[in-house]
Amino acid sequence: MATSAEIVVSTAAQTAPVPLKGAPLVLLTVGIALSVFMEVLDTTIVNVSVPNIAGSLGVSPTEGTWAISSYSLAAAVMQPLTGWIAKRYGEVRTFTVSVLMFVIFSMLCGLATSMHMLVFFRLMQGLVSGPMVPLSQSLIMSNYPPEKRGMGLAIWGVTVIVAPVFGPIMGGWLTDNFSWPWIFYINVPIGIFAAVVTWSFMRKRESTIVKMPIDAVGLCLLFLGVGSLQFMLDNGNDLDWFSSPVIVALGVTAVIALTFLIAWELTEKHPVVDLSLFKHRNFRFGLIGMGLGIFGFFGISVIFPLWLQTTIGYTSSNAGLATAVVGILPVILAPIVGKNINRVDLRYALTFSFSIFAISSFWAATRTDQASFVQYAMPRFFQGVGIAFFFVPISQVIMSDLRPHEIAAASGLSGFVRTIGGSISTAVSTWMWEDRGRYHHTVLAEHVNTQSAGWEQYQSHLQSMGITAGNMMSYVESVTMKQAMTMAANDMFRFYGVLFIVIIPILWLTKPPFGSKGAEGAH
């Protein structure tokens, strides 16, 4: 048995191919962008369709949420494996097979006739999707000319950040106008096009293939630790967190498994997750900044539409539109940022980005329950400026001091941090918002008593509105709850604003130059 890795290098890979140009580069970009949009879209497109899915398959809405949880759980487990899989089978082959398998399981999801079938196919869809986004970033960096690489990353960044915002809108439209299986069928033509284009232009530009032994212990610890963590995050709010023995068991399992995973991978000769990447200063601090930024951004993206629907009375469509305006400016500005990315110190660009995030968060915290649609949407629209200056620069910083063979693994870990950061943000933000709502409700309710002069005046006001004594308390309770949840939402927006400010000094711990070593010599 071989004791060391056997390296197999194809003839095409022995001489680094020149970057693509012209029509092949355009088509490759379109194919990769569509595959990324398709994969990221599927993380949220199911959300608004859960009631329809549950009703069609004869299960409760709570059981229907497994169609969401199973996908995110599987994707989170597979993303850190991207580097190892890409080295063993090649980046181009892995990406193409991943896209094709994603198409197959998307079709099977649409054809599912029971909840068990749908959950299984969603699980498989998540597993095969794991390498897609990380490798899309790696393929862009290694096949774009150095002077246009920023533009390529800009297109990639826009698709990653905009897709989950538009997911609920597209999912709702397809479900309302066709039926819920179409949220999966739509992936078929997109995925086939992306796979064909990628394979056509990239099959002779395969990366170096390294036949490494399988790190079985690391693989088991990864599946156990990340799987437990993701399952805990997906179900924590429904099970009342650590008052549930299930959540406690999952938390303990995740901590133990991930602790042993770190210790094992740091000493394993052929680790399934390359933790040595954290020795690179820019990768380490860039990833921390990105993780915290994703936490704040996703927190706002979760709380804002939830507050509009449950408290303000917006429909899903109107709440989605108020949220989706955040994607308008990035589409316009990201190519400009990408084109000029090498002309500025990226730390200034990121400082500007997080300053915009902070300002828009504090601005959103001034909204009341009586604001108009435009007043609710404007802070989100303004936040789009920050997004344009966030994803492209932070991706460049993270990859800036890596070597060519480390790009795929780094992209996988970066994708994992985005996924887990979003999951943690969703779970924690929802819990904090509800907790602050209960606190504000208690404080406000203390003033509803016969000893309060304000209460006496308010009673008179309600009577003048024609509200009878029998309906008065229920009306007051609804008003109190509405105000409490609005105050809680504003608390959360202020919290995120402070977080964005705290992130800025962390980003200044990175050091230029920020031109990517790995990208320069990839393949």
Side-chain angles (χ1 to χ4, degrees):
M1 180 180 295
T3 57
S4 61
E6 177 188 356
I7 303 178
V8 181
V9 186
S10 66
T11 302
Q14 289 178 1
T15 57
V18 296
L20 292 173
K21 294 182 179 180
L25 183 62
V26 172
L27 286 173
L28 178 68
T29 302
V30 172
I32 288 178
L34 285 175
S35 64
V36 171
F37 189 84
M38 172 183 68
E39 194 279 334
V40 179
L41 189 76
D42 267 48
T43 61
T44 59
I45 196 171
V46 179
N47 294 13
V48 296
S49 304
V50 166
N52 299 79
I53 293 173
S56 174
L57 299 180
V59 298
S60 67
T62 301
E63 292 175 282
T65 59
W66 277 96
I68 303 172
S69 302
S70 56
Y71 181 89
S72 57
L73 188 152
V77 169
M78 287 300 294
Q79 283 169 341
L81 290 172
T82 298
W84 181 84
I85 297 173
K87 283 182 180 179
R88 188 173 178 86
Y89 300 105
E91 293 182 15
V92 177
R93 185 179 293 109
T94 300
F95 179 81
T96 305
V97 171
S98 178
V99 172
L100 288 174
M101 294 297 290
F102 188 86
V103 168
I104 292 172
F105 285 113
S106 293
M107 177 65 75
L108 291 173
C109 284
L111 295 173
T113 56
S114 71
M115 197 64 210
H116 291 96
M117 289 178 62
L118 179 59
V119 169
F120 174 75
F121 291 139
R122 279 287 282 175
L123 187 74
M124 297 304 298
Q125 190 188 31
L127 284 174
V128 300
S129 75
M132 285 171 60
V133 174
L135 287 182
S136 67
Q137 183 182 15
S138 179
L139 290 174
I140 283 178
M141 293 186 68
S142 59
N143 289 281
Y144 259 72
E147 68 275 10
K148 295 183 178 180
R149 196 164 290 131
M151 181 70 74
L153 284 175
I155 297 171
W156 176 87
V158 168
T159 56
V160 169
I161 203 65
V162 170
V165 176
F166 283 96
I169 298 175
M170 186 176 294
W173 184 83
L174 288 170
T175 301
D176 292 340
N177 292 277
F178 297 93
S179 59
W180 68 262
W182 280 96
I183 64 178
F184 300 112
Y185 294 155
I186 194 176
N187 293 332
V188 176
I190 296 174
I192 291 175
F193 173 81
V196 170
V197 168
T198 304
W199 186 249
S200 298
F201 292 111
M202 300 295 296
R203 66 181 184 276
K204 295 182 179 180
R205 303 166 69 90
E206 185 59 274
S207 60
T208 300
I209 297 175
V210 183
K211 297 293 184 181
M212 299 182 298
I214 298 176
D215 176 17
V217 174
L219 196 62
C220 291
L221 289 172
L222 176 70
F223 273 71
L224 184 62
V226 175
S228 298
L229 175 61
Q230 184 67 44
F231 190 89
M232 181 185 75
L233 293 172
D234 286 341
N235 296 276
N237 281 313
D238 293 334
L239 299 177
D240 197 21
W241 289 105
F242 293 103
S243 62
S244 165
V246 174
I247 295 299
V248 172
L250 287 169
V252 172
T253 301
V255 169
I256 294 175
L258 292 176
T259 301
F260 276 97
L261 174 67
I262 293 171
W264 178 268
E265 297 297 85
L266 289 175
T267 57
E268 171 64 21
K269 188 175 182 181
H270 302 293
V272 73
V273 181
D274 188 4
L275 297 180
S276 67
L277 294 171
F278 286 95
K279 69 184 179 183
H280 299 291
R281 182 188 187 95
N282 288 351
F283 179 82
R284 182 168 66 250
F285 290 114
L287 203 62
I288 292 173
M290 187 194 72
L292 292 174
I294 288 294
F295 179 91
F297 176 77
F298 269 87
I300 293 176
S301 298
V302 169
I303 296 300
F304 181 68
L306 193 60
W307 169 55
L308 290 180
Q309 291 178 76
T310 61
T311 304
I312 308 302
Y314 272 40
T315 63
S316 297
S317 298
N318 287 338
L321 289 173
T323 304
V325 295
V326 74
I328 297 174
L329 290 179
V331 173
I332 300 171
L333 296 176
I336 301 174
V337 174
K339 185 176 181 180
N340 297 280
I341 192 173
N342 295 321
R343 299 184 181 183
V344 297
D345 186 328
L346 297 185
R347 294 174 298 183
Y348 286 107
L350 289 168
T351 298
F352 175 73
S353 170
F354 282 101
S355 298
I356 295 295
F357 283 160
I359 293 170
S360 64
S361 298
F362 290 126
W363 186 6
T366 64
R367 305 296 84 165
T368 69
D369 62 312
Q370 300 298 317
S372 66
F373 177 89
V374 172
Q375 290 173 323
Y376 287 133
M378 281 306 296
R380 290 286 292 174
F381 178 78
F382 179 67
Q383 190 181 47
V385 177
I387 293 174
F389 286 84
F390 172 50
F391 252 87
V392 180
I394 198 70
S395 297
Q396 186 80 356
V397 168
I398 289 172
M399 301 296 173
S400 62
D401 53 0
L402 302 179
R403 295 185 293 273
H405 67 276
E406 296 174 319
I407 294 295
S411 298
L413 280 174
S414 178
F416 171 72
V417 169
R418 283 195 303 273
T419 300
I420 288 296
S423 296
I424 293 175
S425 178
T426 299
V428 173
S429 299
T430 305
W431 172 76
M432 288 178 63
W433 179 53
E434 292 175 349
D435 184 68
R436 292 298 296 172
R438 286 190 292 269
Y439 166 77
H440 285 299
H441 182 270
T442 300
V443 173
L444 292 174
E446 291 176 355
H447 296 282
V448 183
N449 61 75
T450 56
Q451 305 301 318
S452 171
W455 169 238
E456 295 293 336
Q457 295 175 3
Y458 193 61
Q459 278 184 306
S460 300
H461 172 68
L462 294 179
Q463 289 172 353
S464 67
M465 293 172 58
I467 299 176
T468 63
N471 296 325
M472 192 172 293
M473 291 311 298
S474 60
Y475 178 83
V476 170
E477 170 61 21
S478 67
V479 171
T480 302
M481 181 58 70
K482 189 174 186 178
Q483 294 301 318
M485 298 311 292
T486 298
M487 294 169 71
N490 290 337
D491 286 348
M492 295 302 299
F493 297 148
R494 282 188 285 268
F495 166 74
Y496 296 128
V498 172
L499 175 64
F500 290 133
I501 293 173
V502 170
I503 295 171
I504 294 175
I506 297 175
L507 298 170
W508 280 87
L509 295 175
T510 62
K511 287 187 175 181
F514 296 117
S516 176
K517 297 178 186 175
E520 294 296 333
H523 295 279

